[in-house]
Amino acid sequence: MVQRLAILDDYQAVAYDYAPWAELADDGVEVSVFTEPLADSVAALRDFDIVMAMRERTTFDAGLLRQLPKLKLLVTTGMANAAIDLRAAEVQGITVCGTGGSPAAAPELTWALLLAFARKVPFEDRRLRAGNWQGTVGSELSGKTLGVLGLGKIGSKIAGYGKAFGMEVIAWSPNLTEETAAAAGARMVGKEALFREADVVSVHVRLSERSRGLVGEDELRLLGPEGVLVNTARGPIVDEAALLRGLNEGWLGGAALDVFDVEPLPAGHPLLTAPRTVLTPHLGYVTSQSYAHFYGEAFEDVRAWVRGNPVRVLIS
């Protein structure tokens, strides 16, 4: 019997460049690739037995899963996905598998955003192409203080980048210890002190109910009119309304953002015209090396499951 696989959100139409999906025909799997966001997840996916989800672009909560009675395997890129209700999947008999990823992709994009903001790269690029020369004065990172919110694998890399650029590095997260901070080259401070002392705060905590809205108006006001917020983690960690007020009213210095509350960012969204911002369309994980992990290991997940020996299974 043929089983149908849906590969979601292949925005760049490159899924077949990174895995031999056609080979799954030998295992009785028919592959469909979606290159645009789903307008109606239930209508689009109700006839599929297997779904590959790219990061957290599609929410697979209990309500959606109940409306997909044919779904038996859900593969997510990465080994954690806050948009999947693992308990609901387990109750419904759906196997959920993950993949590895690149440890360098997101940290490098974070630093690219910060440098682009500091040296006004997007603005000067547009001016130069329009025939103009030198319209702004940038600022250096050396000698400034970098605040890292969340000192896990990515946050620790960012701390290392900050040290390499001559910055003082401070860090806070709910369970951080002085020893862990010191090992990453950072000084542990309290949450309030992080925003008060830092010139730049970079967000690197996972999205959860505890971290949703973790950065609000109080924190952004402490960061102040010369401070910069960088967020390459998840949009809802930062209070978007407060962020927009700070940018438009001038009490926040600026923001460099790769993630947003709603993705793709809708046309006409106020962040698109907010002052002192550098924006990218959630590119943190979008590298050829990362996609080789995502698609290559997702292919392995599907083939292993079809052959009765699932790998990289995620448990609630």
Side-chain angles (χ1 to χ4, degrees):
M1 184 179 69
V2 172
Q3 299 192 78
R4 300 187 65 201
L5 162 64
I7 299 175
L8 304 187
D9 297 318
D10 179 18
Y11 294 161
Q12 300 93 358
V14 295
Y16 274 93
D17 295 340
Y18 290 97
W21 297 106
E23 293 181 9
L24 290 175
D26 296 336
D27 293 289
V29 177
E30 177 185 291
V31 181
S32 298
V33 179
F34 292 81
T35 57
E36 299 291 336
L38 300 181
D40 184 336
S41 297
V42 174
L45 301 177
R46 63 162 59 101
D47 293 325
F48 286 93
D49 309 275
I50 308 167
V51 171
M52 177 195 164
M54 178 60 74
R55 303 300 293 170
E56 295 169 358
R57 293 174 180 172
T58 303
T59 298
F60 289 89
D61 56 18
L64 175 59
L65 293 175
R66 281 195 297 268
Q67 297 179 79
L68 302 176
K70 295 189 69 175
L71 183 61
K72 296 304 177 187
L73 174 64
L74 178 56
V75 178
T76 175
T77 53
M79 290 301 289
N81 188 330
I84 296 176
D85 187 331
L86 291 175
R87 177 58 182 159
E90 181 182 349
V91 168
Q92 201 166 308
I94 300 168
T95 301
V96 183
C97 298
T99 74
S102 167
E108 289 183 6
L109 190 277
T110 300
W111 211 252
L113 277 173
L114 179 53
L115 287 172
F117 183 92
R119 300 305 291 267
K120 313 293 192 295
V121 171
F123 180 79
E124 291 291 3
D125 176 84
R126 292 191 298 269
R127 279 181 53 84
L128 182 60
R129 294 175 190 275
N132 299 302
W133 194 258
Q134 289 192 4
T136 62
V137 178
S139 63
E140 300 173 7
L141 299 180
S142 180
K144 292 190 173 180
T145 298
L146 170 66
V148 182
L149 183 66
L151 202 61
K153 292 180 180 178
I154 295 176
S156 294
K157 280 187 173 291
I158 295 302
Y161 294 171
K163 297 293 286 186
F165 273 73
M167 303 181 79
E168 179 186 356
V169 181
I170 58 177
W172 175 86
S173 59
N175 300 311
L176 183 64
T177 65
E178 291 185 358
E179 293 75 18
T180 300
R187 173 170 56 89
M188 188 182 78
V189 296
K191 180 184 176 186
E192 181 177 303
L194 184 87
F195 286 88
R196 185 177 61 249
E197 296 180 23
D199 300 292
V200 177
V201 168
S202 193
V203 179
H204 301 289
V205 293
R206 284 187 177 180
L207 178 62
S208 66
E209 287 310 308
R210 187 171 64 170
S211 66
R212 189 177 297 270
L214 183 66
V215 181
E217 182 163 333
D218 289 346
E219 289 76 24
L220 296 174
R221 284 190 178 276
L222 287 171
L223 190 52
E226 301 298 325
V228 180
L229 180 80
V230 183
N231 188 7
T232 58
R234 291 293 182 270
I237 295 168
V238 178
D239 182 335
E240 188 175 272
L243 177 64
L244 280 164
R245 284 195 300 274
L247 293 167
N248 289 317
E249 295 173 11
W251 47 263
L252 176 65
L257 309 172
D258 186 48
V259 290
F260 309 93
D261 284 7
V262 177
E263 297 180 2
L265 199 61
H269 192 283
L271 275 172
L272 294 171
T273 54
R276 303 180 308 286
T277 55
V278 174
L279 311 178
T280 49
H282 204 154
L283 297 178
Y285 58 91
V286 184
T287 67
S288 59
Q289 293 85 352
S290 183
Y291 272 22
H293 283 289
F294 286 173
Y295 286 116
E297 293 177 25
F299 171 85
E300 293 172 358
D301 288 348
V302 174
R303 185 169 58 183
W305 178 83
V306 170
R307 296 179 179 182
N309 187 29
V311 296
R312 291 184 285 268
V313 176
L314 305 183
I315 305 299
S316 62

